[in-house]
Amino acid sequence: MTDDRIKKSLRYSILDGGFAASMVGIGESFFAVFAVFLKANAVQFGVLNSLPQALGSVSQLFSNRLISLFKSRKRLVCTAVLIQALMYIPIAIVFFLGTFRVYHLIFFICLYWFFGMILGPAWNSWMGDLVDENERGAYFGKRSVVTGFASFVSFMAGGYILQAFTLGTITQYAGFVTIFILALIFRVISFIFLTKKYEPEYQAIQEEAFTLFDFIREAKSRNYGLFVLYLCLMNFSVYLSAPFFTPYMLEDLKFDYKTYTIVNAAAMVVKLLSVSVWGRVSDQFGTKKILSMSGFMMPIIPLFWLFSRDVYYLIVIQMFSGFIWAGFEISSFNFIFDTTSPSKRATCVAYYNVLNGFSIFSGAMLGSFIAGHNSLLWSKYLLVFFLSCVLRYTASFVFIPKLREVRTVEEIGYPRLFLKIISTMPTMGTIYQLIPFRKGQKDKQE
């Protein structure tokens, strides 16, 4: 009976993820675009793209206490998801709040991220109990296909809606209201599927409790600690430039909403096509191998943005970006499960997110300062793109050699691994075959 409940829960999790991704695609993905519409400046862009995540990360320090208070990981996750959905209402109405509306937008997005991230450790711990450790890469790869497809379709729909509402300020605002209402609806549907999932019994082991300071102090001597330090430095480097791609495209390159959407959708399409392949090879050859390959290919991405403003060139760059980020994200995600025990997983994830939130905020603030005082190139954002590339490589060269694989996996060289991934990349016509809950695949899974 329990096995049946787990199988159903894993399918519900995929459906939950699909609708949650639809919320992100049509709502969250356009927060920065909404800020451009509200005339935000470079510093406000930096704060908007980093402070909400930083504050949301701090909230995770209280996750274990909240799990105890709610007496269930499921109740905590479902409550936070529902409140997060409702945040789209005040986000949409900041347009009427006058001179300080960008700051109001930042405030409500902070609340949105707070409730979206406070559930993270509980959700990770919950899913860690549901997914077999030998099938994590395959399962989360398939789940990522669904979430990636949902995110892509909803993102394209959001861009189409905004492009259709471009005649006048009020009309443009109506477009944003439309996509935010749809985002709210998608998150509510996600909430419904979450309520259907089974939650295995969970008991925190008190004697294994440890503080954030204990975690930091021992980080250099532990595999997971080194991994956290690596991701913190990497995300500091990424967010040095990440908040500024949207204003660069909309303000400096003068893209309309349709062009902006197409350029960004290119990355989403390739990520959708490649993520299941990355997941399978991660199970076979280890998360460390995939993390190493993607970790040394991903840093060059922002450098490519310096060489051309041509739309077709940027689409190709985004396609490469989607391919590499798919590998980096799924290997990073799986590495957390590989290197943490179930009894410590929620706490470890919470501490990682706190440190990561501080890194993201620091990187974005430094990027804001540089962008606001830079006049070396034709665009004030290009210097931060270059510096982001340098620092990303620094993070990979320093930390990746220190990480170790914790599972027994097959050996393979990097050139052969890369060719294996490329040769097994699916096409859009085969994406349907990868969806694990489609009719006809059900019997095979059960």
Side-chain angles (χ1 to χ4, degrees), residues 19 21 31 43 75 103 123 127 205 225 235 307 322 358 372 390 406:
F19 284 102
F31 285 165
V43 173
R75 288 195 197 102
Y103 295 103
W123 186 88
M127 291 301 295
I205 302 175
N235 282 318
F307 301 137
F358 176 76
V390 173
V406 298

Side-chain angles (χ1 to χ4, degrees), residues 13-19 21-22 136-154 267-280 326 329-330 333 424-438 441 445:
S13 180
I14 290 174
L15 290 167
D16 147 53
F19 284 102
S22 297
R136 283 177 188 147
Y139 174 77
F140 286 115
K142 292 176 181 179
R143 187 178 187 273
S144 295
V145 169
V146 177
T147 58
F149 182 75
S151 180
F152 166 72
V153 172
S154 60
M268 300 172 72
V269 170
V270 178
K271 182 181 287 189
L272 170 65
L273 293 172
S274 61
V275 69
S276 62
V277 178
W278 286 109
R280 289 196 299 272
E329 288 175 1
I330 199 166
F333 184 75
T424 54
M425 278 277 290
T427 63
M428 286 300 292
T430 61
I431 284 294
Y432 178 75
Q433 301 295 325
L434 300 173
I435 300 177
F437 57 81
R438 66 185 176 86
Q441 190 106 332
Q445 286 189 336

Side-chain angles (χ1 to χ4, degrees), residues 287-344:
T287 52
K288 164 66 189 301
K289 200 79 173 182
I290 304 305
L291 189 68
S292 299
M293 174 182 286
S294 56
F296 281 108
M297 297 177 72
M298 178 265 289
I300 200 172
I301 293 169
L303 188 65
F304 287 141
W305 285 74
L306 274 66
F307 301 137
S308 176
R309 291 176 276 180
D310 180 73
V311 172
Y312 296 104
Y313 169 84
L314 294 179
I315 288 174
V316 173
I317 298 309
Q318 286 291 78
M319 292 172 66
F320 174 76
S321 175
F323 172 71
I324 298 303
W325 272 107
F328 190 81
E329 288 175 1
I330 199 166
S331 59
S332 299
F333 184 75
N334 288 337
F335 204 81
I336 293 174
F337 286 100
D338 288 347
T339 55
T340 57
S341 62
S343 61
K344 292 183 177 182

Side-chain angles (χ1 to χ4, degrees), residues 193-204:
F193 283 113
L194 279 168
T195 63
K196 295 177 178 290
K197 286 173 57 180
Y198 161 68
E199 179 188 12
E201 185 179 355
Y202 170 74
Q203 291 182 342

